[in-house]
């Protein structure tokens, strides 16, 4: 019951934030309505980086404490982060065609983000090859720590190198009536992302409990 | 297995370390500025390259299917560019662009590709103007819009990087 209420609230809040971004916020004077893609593109990218940072923390927690639950959380945030990275890439491409004139180019920001997607997809793929949950957690955590180094590279790529992608906007470069819906949407997408992470962790827990039950011979202890 | 893991780890760390602190900074230039291109002189002729700068005000000229304009940067370097491609909707004077192509023997730059570099500024249109109207003006300044046409003068963009 409580979960149902949370679900409804999250969905309604997301719809409200989207409505604000699509209807109430003014169009951009250069791009018109096309810029509204950023109300999902930017929150996706932000939250993906946030979730990958959480993955880094959960990996450390696992390696220090060896508690399996931290690995469940690591897997959860990595999977949802990967989906959000894919969303940011896809929406960025849709935005790029009308504004830049191209769907894709190998500029530093875009390349680094594509690499980010492949790295985390690789981590998840690699985890699937490891049958033993403890080995999986250990190697998975180590891999997560390694690939995390690309997250700051993605974030700073636009500052370090000349790229086609614009640098981060700030309250100085963005009108306040556009910043507000951007933040609302970031919050809404964060809420939905965390909701998915929570369910992913529950799933991992159930799966682990079942695997443990199956590995024991019927009739209890030997 | 363990050895392979450690070896792989060192390889990844090394590669990322190189990306972070190593020579990538030099190689990872997505485009050069007009000044940098002109510094190369005749050595730049014929070599495919990307150049990024600003479309100089009053320099856009349309001849048939060809667009001519001057690409410039903070320094007074000016490169005449011509292209046969359809420019993105936002292409206009005063806006940042990245052109992909090569310098010709006559030191004009032929762009096979023309990309608009949008800045990080997001502003609503000025007050009293209907957003839709402005949008239409921006993308199709003439009464009978045709693809490939370039905004007329007086439509100077304020988008700076």
């Amino acid at each position: 019951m409580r979960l149902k209420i949370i679900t409804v609230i999250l969905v309604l809040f997301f719809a409200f934030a989207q409505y604000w971004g699509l209807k109430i916020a003014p169009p951009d004077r250069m791009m018109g309505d096309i810029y509204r893609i950023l109300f999902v593109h930017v929150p996706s990218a932000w939250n993906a980086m946030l979730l990958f940072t959480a993955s880094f923390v959960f990996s450390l927690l696992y390696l220090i404490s060896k508690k399996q639950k931290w690995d469940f959380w690591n897997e959860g945030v990595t999977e949802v982060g990967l989906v959000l990275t894919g969303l940011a890439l896809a929406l960025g491409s849709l935005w790029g065609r009308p504004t830049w004139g191209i769907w894709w180019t190998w500029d530093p920001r875009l390349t680094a983000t594509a690499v980010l997607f492949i790295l985390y997809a690789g981590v998840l793929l690699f985890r699937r090859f490891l049958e033993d949950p403890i080995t999986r957690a250990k190697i998975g955590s180590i891999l997560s720590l390694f690939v995390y180094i690309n997250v700051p590279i993605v974030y700073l790529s636009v500052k370090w190198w000349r790229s086609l992608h614009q640098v981060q906007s700030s309250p100085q470069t963005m009108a306040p009536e556009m910043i507000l819906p951007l933040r609302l949407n970031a919050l809404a997408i964060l809420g939905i992302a965390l909701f998915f992470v929570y369910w992913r962790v529950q799933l991992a827990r159930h799966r682990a409990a079942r695997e443990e039950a199956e590995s024991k011979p019927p009739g209890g202890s030997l | 297995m363990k050895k392979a893991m450690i070896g792989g780890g060192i390889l990844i760390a090394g590669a990322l370390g190189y990306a972070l602190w190593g020579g990538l900074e030099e190689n990872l230039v997505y485009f050069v500025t007009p000044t940098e291109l002109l510094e190369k002189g005749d050595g730049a002729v014929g070599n495919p390259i990307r150049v990024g700068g600003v479309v100089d005000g009053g320099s856009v000229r349309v001849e048939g299917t060809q667009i001519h304009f001057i690409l410039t940067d903070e320094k007074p370097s000016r490169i005449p560019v011509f292209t046969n491609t359809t420019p993105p909707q936002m292409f206009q004077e005063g806006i940042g662009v990245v052109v992909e192509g090569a310098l010709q023997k006559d030191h004009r730059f032929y762009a096979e590709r023309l990309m608009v570099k949008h800045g990080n500024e997001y502003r609503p249109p000025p007050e009293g103007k209907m957003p839709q109207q402005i949008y239409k003006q921006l993308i199709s300044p003439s009464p009978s819009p045709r693809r490939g046409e370039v905004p007329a003068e007086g439509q100077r963009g304020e988008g700076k990087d």
Side-chain angles (χ1 to χ4, degrees), chain A residues 167-207:
Chain A
V167 297
Q168 289 88 354
S169 292
S170 68
Q172 280 79 48
T173 65
M174 198 172 192
E177 58 265 48
M178 295 171 175
I179 292 178
L180 181 67
L182 182 63
R183 287 182 175 154
L184 282 178
N185 277 292
L187 216 59
I189 290 175
L190 175 67
I192 289 174
L194 291 182
F195 183 74
F196 276 114
V197 170
Y198 172 80
W199 280 109
R200 187 63 189 79
V201 172
Q202 299 311 309
L203 184 69
R205 260 191 199 135
H206 288 306
R207 203 173 272 170

Side-chain angles (χ1 to χ4, degrees), chain A residues 100-123:
Chain A
W100 294 341
I102 45 163
W103 296 105
W104 181 265
T105 183
W106 295 102
D107 100 322
R109 168 54 79 79
L110 274 57
T111 309
T113 313
V115 169
L116 186 76
F117 184 87
I118 292 162
L119 282 179
Y120 277 100
V123 171

Side-chain angles (χ1 to χ4, degrees), chain A residues 39-167:
Chain A
F39 290 127
V40 182
H41 169 75
V42 175
S44 300
W46 279 350
N47 283 309
M49 285 195 257
L50 195 71
L51 290 176
F52 290 146
T53 307
S55 153
F56 182 83
V57 173
F58 290 137
S59 300
L60 273 185
L61 283 174
Y62 174 79
L63 291 172
I64 292 165
S65 73
K66 302 281 187 230
K67 279 189 184 136
Q68 205 67 21
K69 68 167 174 182
W70 296 126
D71 190 56
F72 298 158
W73 282 98
N74 183 13
E75 193 176 25
V77 291
T78 306
E79 281 183 7
V80 179
L82 186 69
V83 172
L84 288 178
T85 309
L87 196 63
L89 281 170
L91 291 174
S93 181
L94 290 180
W95 177 89
R97 184 62 185 84
T99 38
W100 294 341
I102 45 163
W103 296 105
W104 181 265
T105 183
W106 295 102
D107 100 322
R109 168 54 79 79
L110 274 57
T111 309
T113 313
V115 169
L116 186 76
F117 184 87
I118 292 162
L119 282 179
Y120 277 100
V123 171
L124 289 174
L125 200 67
F126 199 84
R127 292 176 63 99
R128 291 283 188 278
F129 286 111
L130 301 166
E131 290 265 324
D132 177 41
I134 293 173
T135 320
R136 193 198 302 139
K138 212 182 277 174
I139 294 179
S141 300
I142 293 169
L143 283 177
S144 291
L145 289 184
F146 270 123
V147 297
Y148 181 72
I149 199 163
N150 196 27
V151 173
I153 293 179
V154 167
Y155 185 76
L156 293 168
S157 54
V158 283
K159 296 190 173 168
W160 284 349
W161 303 300
R162 274 182 214 155
S163 65
L164 188 62
H165 193 286
Q166 58 268 43
V167 297

